């Protein structure tokens, strides 16, 4: 499932447990089956960080490995020896548990859903990390039983499938999916990959189910910063069927790739030359894993274990968007992904029954944002973007006009440029709550009247007339600072602001050159009081230069330049800033300028696109 997106650098602050759904996850008891394995251990670590009050039961058959993990997790963790093949042992363990996370794969060729059945029998909430189409459909067949028992259950609640499904659900309608990972696969994941090579790939084309050969249909996909372009191949992943059936997407396929590149050659060779009866036999696949796993571990030590998910959505109106998630370590990111699903279930975001992640009854629509925030909260996230134009996810993005030209030239002969322009216009209008530049001349903020905001210019001018408190005239001129980049990524645009103060009866003018910028509460200067929006984002300003001049040209060049502002005594710097704040240069004003100027630039960009569209269409 694939869609496009602007690259956004995000500082993720994960939502704390207990504050999202109808219930609190705090102090809940969570059993992690397969907890001593690579995926289960990563899940336990993530849960302990996202919700430290959870009581974690690490279940497995290796007591030594379990004890080592428990000592790392601390006092809220304990090891329990469980054999999932023993129904009595399993049900007895589940009696005092709020949620069971089934991470004891592989799920391919499993004959039954014994853990889910035990969870329903003991009325225990359930999440599995199944990545097999047949198993997920078997789990779905227990939906009625789960509803009757009052048990909420999620199947395929991992990273892919799992987080990829939620990303697709947020993009909706028509989807096409690719995944790329460059390492970090433990024995279970390696076994899963080999078993999937023994299955025909199910995909959907124009609403019709088709079967193709595994690890065929190679595409070269750009996963952006940190990953770059990678070859990906068709694989039989369960999100294909669930996306088709639940989201109503007529064209769906899933692809997977790995690195270094020769691993893909090896996977192709296994798919083409190893007999299917071997790849469909769990015991024989485990023998292959024992042969390849040491080599995989050694290569991972050199190549790393980065992972990437890209979800592309192409709509019938020509609009295309992308969701992209990349992380430095698969073993870490998969744990946070599973933990995000576990917390969502504990907090009451899942209704009774067995659900796929993209179903609104499985993960409530208003809970998806929190789930994604938690999933990408792990240290090492390289990139997370949602619902942006595809061409901006390129590894080496260009300026906006060049980006469109670069994509459009390949389609120019058949009118492709016009299609790209219209797609970009539709995207810009749909991604902005308001296409105009907003407040017009005459608008007032903090006593300042908006005096000038011509659509075709970059700047605005506000003026405050003398009153009974301040017998002085204040003029503010502002425009967006030039676009800057860090490692080829665009940085947030600040506002360059001139503040000129003229006392009544005097020719002298005080002028301050300032810079206003967006910030969160942790970035505020010590003496600042800030108004924020619902997301805790507000603005502040700094003084860069202070002038004193006899010129009456408020906003022109100053004839007299004072000392370097940063060289002044800190108390004097603070006093001068307070002087401006008292006169209305407050966060409310800087918030207004930042929003107004960005909306104005957005409106100008849309108008430019429409002009280009008109010229090309003629």
């Amino acid at each position: 499932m694939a869609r496009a997106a602007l690259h956004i650098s995000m500082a993720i602050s994960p939502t704390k447990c207990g504050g999202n759904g109808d219930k609190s996850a705090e102090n809940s008891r969570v059993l992690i089956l397969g907890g001593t394995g690579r995926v289960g251990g990563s899940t336990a670590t993530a849960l302990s960080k996202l919700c430290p009050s959870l009581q974690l039961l690490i279940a497995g058959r290796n007591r030594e490995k379990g004890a080592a993990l428990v000592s790392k997790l601390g006092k809220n963790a304990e090891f329990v020896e469980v054999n999932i093949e023993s129904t009595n042992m399993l049900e007895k363990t589940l009696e005092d548990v709020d949620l069971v996370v089934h991470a004891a794969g592989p799920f391919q060729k499993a004959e039954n859903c014994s853990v889910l059945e035990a969870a329903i029998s003991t009325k225990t909430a359930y999440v599995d990390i199944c990545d097999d189409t047949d198993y997920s459909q078997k789990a779905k067949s227990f939906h009625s039983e789960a509803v009757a028992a009052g048990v909420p259950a999620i199947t395929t609640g991992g990273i892919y499938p799992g987080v990829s499904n939620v990303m697709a659900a947020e993009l909706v309608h028509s989807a096409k999916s690719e995944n790329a990972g460059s390492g970090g696969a433990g024995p279970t994941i390696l076994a899963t990959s080999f078993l999937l090579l023994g299955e025909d790939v199910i995909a959907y084309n124009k609403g019709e189910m088709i079967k193709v050969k595994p690890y065929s249909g190679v595409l070269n996909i750009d996963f952006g910063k940190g990953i770059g372009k990678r070859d990906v191949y068709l694989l039989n992943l369960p999100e294909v069927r669930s996306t088709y059936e639940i989201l109503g997407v007529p064209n769906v396929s899933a692809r997977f790739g790995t690195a270094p590149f020769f691993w893909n050659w090896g996977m192709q060779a296994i798919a083409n030359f190893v007999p299917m009866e071997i790849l469909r036999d769990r015991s024989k696949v485990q023998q292959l894993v024992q042969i390849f796993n040491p080599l995989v571990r050694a290569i991972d030590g050199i190549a790393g274990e980065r992972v990437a998910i890209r979800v592309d959505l192409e709509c019938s109106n020509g609009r295309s968007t992308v969701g992209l998630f990349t992380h430095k370590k698969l073993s870490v990111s998969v744990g946070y992904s599973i933990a995000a699903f576990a917390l969502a279930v504990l907090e009451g975001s899942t209704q009774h029954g067995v659900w796929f992640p993209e179903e609104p009854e499985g993960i409530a629509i208003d809970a998806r944002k929190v789930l994604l925030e938690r999933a990408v909260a792990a240290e090492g996230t390289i990139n997370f973007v949602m619902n942006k134009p595809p061409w901006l996810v390129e590894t080496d993005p260009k300026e906006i006009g060049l980006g469109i030209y670069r994509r459009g030239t390949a389609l120019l002969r058949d009118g492709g440029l016009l299609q790209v322009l219209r797609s970009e216009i539709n995207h810009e209008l749909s991604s902005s709550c308001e296409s105009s530049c907003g407040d017009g001349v005459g608008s007032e903020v903090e006593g300042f009247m908006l005096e000038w905001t011509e659509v075709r210019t970059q700047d605005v001018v506000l003026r405050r007339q003398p009153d009974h408190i301040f017998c002085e005239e204040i003029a503010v001129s502002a425009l967006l600072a030039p676009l800057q980049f860090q490692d080829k990524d665009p940085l947030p645009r600040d506002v360059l602001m001139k503040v000129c103060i003229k006392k009544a009866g005097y020719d002298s003018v005080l002028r301050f050159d300032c810079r206003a910028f967006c910030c969160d509460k942790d970035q505020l200067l010590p003496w600042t009081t800030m108004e924020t929006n619902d997301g805790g984002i507000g603005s502040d300003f700094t003084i860069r230069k202070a002038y004193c001049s006899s010129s009456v040209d408020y906003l022109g060049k100053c004839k007299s330049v004072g000392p370097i502002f940063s060289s002044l005594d800190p108390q004097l710097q603070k006093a001068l800033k307070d002087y401006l704040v008292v006169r209305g240069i407050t966060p409310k004003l800087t918030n207004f300028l930042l929003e107004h100027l960005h909306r104005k630039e957005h409106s100008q960009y849309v108008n430019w696109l429409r002009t280009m569209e008109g010229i090309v269409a003629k």
Side-chain angles (χ1 to χ4, degrees):
M1 310 156 202
R3 295 209 69 155
L6 274 173
H7 170 248
I8 302 173
S9 298
M10 297 183 63
I12 302 295
S13 179
T15 302
K16 294 182 178 179
C17 63
N20 182 44
D22 299 329
K23 302 186 295 184
S24 172
E26 294 182 350
N27 300 311
S28 297
R29 288 173 63 81
V30 179
L31 174 69
I32 303 174
L33 297 174
T36 58
R38 191 173 179 87
V39 174
S42 177
T43 302
T45 301
L47 281 170
S48 69
K49 292 181 178 180
L50 289 172
C51 194
S53 66
L54 287 177
Q55 306 295 310
L56 300 177
L57 281 70
I58 309 303
R61 289 178 287 189
N62 189 321
R63 185 171 292 276
E64 184 179 343
K65 290 178 67 176
L69 179 59
V70 166
S71 65
K72 177 183 175 182
L73 294 173
K75 62 180 181 179
N76 285 348
E78 62 178 290
F79 175 77
V80 291
E81 190 168 350
V82 177
N83 182 354
I84 64 173
E85 301 301 327
S86 172
T87 301
N88 291 336
M89 180 184 289
L90 193 55
E91 290 185 354
K92 185 176 180 180
T93 308
L94 289 175
E95 286 176 356
D96 193 28
V97 169
D98 298 298
L99 170 74
V100 57
V101 176
H102 184 8
F107 293 85
Q108 284 74 15
K109 310 306 175 186
E111 295 179 358
N112 54 54
C113 299
S114 57
V115 177
L116 175 57
E117 291 181 70
I120 293 172
S121 176
T122 57
K123 300 185 185 299
T124 305
Y126 170 94
V127 172
D128 72 41
I129 65 164
C130 161
D131 50 4
D132 179 67
T133 302
D134 290 342
Y135 188 96
S136 66
Q137 293 299 322
K138 288 178 186 175
K140 253 302 198 179
S141 70
F142 288 92
H143 176 75
S144 298
E145 289 91 331
V147 171
V151 172
I154 294 284
T155 185
T156 68
I159 183 169
Y160 55 85
V163 169
S164 59
N165 303 52
V166 177
M167 291 171 67
E170 285 291 273
L171 300 177
V172 267
H173 295 317
S174 83
K176 175 184 176 183
S177 162
E178 289 86 28
N179 298 313
S182 56
T188 301
I189 298 176
L190 195 57
T192 295
S193 300
F194 288 156
L195 287 165
L196 285 172
L197 295 179
E199 298 180 6
D200 289 333
V201 175
I202 301 298
Y204 291 88
N205 181 36
K206 297 181 181 179
E208 295 292 326
M209 186 181 76
I210 57 175
K211 290 185 179 182
V212 295
K213 189 176 180 63
Y215 235 69
S216 60
V218 61
L219 290 178
N220 188 256
I221 299 297
D222 195 333
F223 289 90
K225 177 183 177 181
I227 302 294
K229 294 182 178 181
R230 303 284 178 174
D231 288 342
V232 289
Y233 302 77
L234 288 166
L235 211 57
N236 193 38
L237 297 175
E239 58 261 53
V240 171
R241 179 170 174 178
S242 59
T243 297
Y244 170 75
E245 293 180 349
I246 294 163
L247 300 182
V249 179
N251 302 292
V252 192
S253 62
R255 284 178 167 84
F256 173 89
T258 187
F261 62 90
F262 52 76
W263 283 134
N264 289 321
W265 296 351
M267 296 285 278
Q268 282 183 302
I270 291 172
N272 290 326
F273 301 115
V274 175
M276 279 292 184
E277 55 268 23
I278 293 179
L279 295 175
R280 292 173 180 174
D281 187 318
R282 285 167 64 104
S283 62
K284 292 180 179 178
V285 164
Q286 288 297 340
Q287 293 175 20
L288 285 175
V289 170
Q290 296 301 317
I291 296 171
F292 283 98
N293 189 52
L295 181 60
V296 171
R297 295 274 65 76
I299 296 295
D300 280 351
I302 301 171
E305 50 172 301
R306 295 187 179 188
V307 62
I309 301 171
R310 174 167 162 162
V311 182
D312 287 80
L313 176 62
E314 299 176 3
C315 299
S316 57
N317 64 1
R319 179 172 176 252
S320 297
T321 58
V322 165
L324 183 68
F325 171 33
T326 55
H327 193 279
K328 291 181 179 178
K329 287 193 173 184
L330 171 61
S331 57
V332 173
S333 59
V334 70
Y336 271 80
S337 298
I338 300 164
F341 281 105
L343 291 175
V345 173
L346 286 171
E347 291 168 348
S349 296
T350 304
Q351 297 182 23
H352 298 157
V354 181
W355 310 100
F356 289 110
E358 62 268 46
E359 293 185 273
E361 299 89 348
I363 299 298
I365 293 174
D366 58 1
R368 287 174 181 164
K369 179 181 178 183
V370 171
L371 185 144
L372 291 174
E373 286 176 352
R374 286 169 170 165
V376 304
E379 182 178 352
T381 294
I382 300 170
N383 204 357
F384 177 62
V385 292
M386 285 291 291
N387 208 26
K388 300 292 180 178
W391 51 271
L392 281 175
V393 81
E394 291 178 355
T395 306
D396 187 19
K398 305 300 180 185
E399 292 285 343
I400 209 128
L402 294 177
I404 292 177
Y405 176 75
R406 180 177 177 181
R407 183 178 177 88
T409 48
L411 303 171
L412 195 57
R413 285 187 296 273
D414 60 357
L417 177 59
L418 186 60
Q419 180 183 349
V420 173
L421 285 167
R422 287 172 176 170
S423 174
E424 179 66 5
I425 291 170
N426 289 335
H427 172 78
E428 288 298 321
L429 294 178
S430 65
S431 63
S432 174
C433 61
E434 193 171 343
S435 60
S436 70
C437 61
D439 308 86
V441 172
S443 300
E444 183 176 350
V445 56
E446 292 291 79
F448 287 88
M449 297 291 292
L450 186 57
E451 183 177 273
W452 169 266
T453 180
E454 171 60 41
V455 174
R456 289 167 293 182
T457 64
Q458 294 181 308
D459 62 333
V460 297
V461 176
L462 300 95
R463 197 176 299 272
R464 182 172 179 170
Q465 298 298 333
D467 55 28
H468 66 285
I469 298 177
F470 297 108
C471 297
E472 56 197 18
E473 184 178 359
I474 307 173
V476 177
S477 173
L479 75 166
L480 288 176
L483 188 62
Q484 294 183 327
F485 294 84
Q486 181 176 358
D487 296 331
K488 300 182 180 180
D489 299 324
L491 296 173
R493 303 278 295 277
D494 295 342
V495 165
L496 302 179
M497 180 172 64
K498 298 178 184 178
V499 181
C500 296
I501 303 173
K502 182 177 183 298
K503 293 280 187 179
Y506 291 86
D507 288 337
S508 296
V509 175
L510 290 177
R511 180 175 129 183
F512 299 86
D513 287 357
C514 307
R515 194 177 193 101
F517 51 89
C518 291
C519 58
D520 58 34
K521 292 180 180 179
D522 295 335
Q523 296 173 309
L524 292 180
L525 299 177
W527 53 78
T528 303
T529 300
M530 182 185 74
E531 294 185 11
T532 64
N533 59 22
D534 293 338
I537 303 299
S539 63
D540 193 8
F541 76 94
T542 57
I543 302 174
R544 302 171 66 203
K545 294 180 182 178
Y547 305 88
C548 182
S549 173
S550 59
S551 171
V552 295
D553 182 7
Y554 285 16
L555 305 177
K557 291 184 178 180
C558 229
K559 295 181 179 178
S560 175
V561 179
I564 299 173
F565 189 80
S566 59
S567 69
L568 299 177
D569 181 86
Q571 290 187 337
L572 179 55
Q573 292 183 47
K574 178 182 182 302
L576 286 168
K577 182 169 183 178
D578 289 343
Y579 179 82
L580 293 183
V581 170
V582 169
R583 282 157 178 76
I585 312 302
T586 65
K588 183 176 288 187
L589 179 66
T590 52
N591 283 350
F592 169 82
L593 289 172
L594 283 158
E595 181 180 358
H596 180 87
L597 287 168
H598 276 93
R599 289 198 334 235
K600 181 175 181 177
E601 184 183 59
H602 177 267
S603 179
Q604 291 172 338
Y605 175 50
V606 171
N607 289 339
W608 176 81
L609 287 171
R610 284 173 168 161
T611 301
M612 291 283 288
E613 177 194 23
I615 294 172
V616 173
K618 289 183 178 180

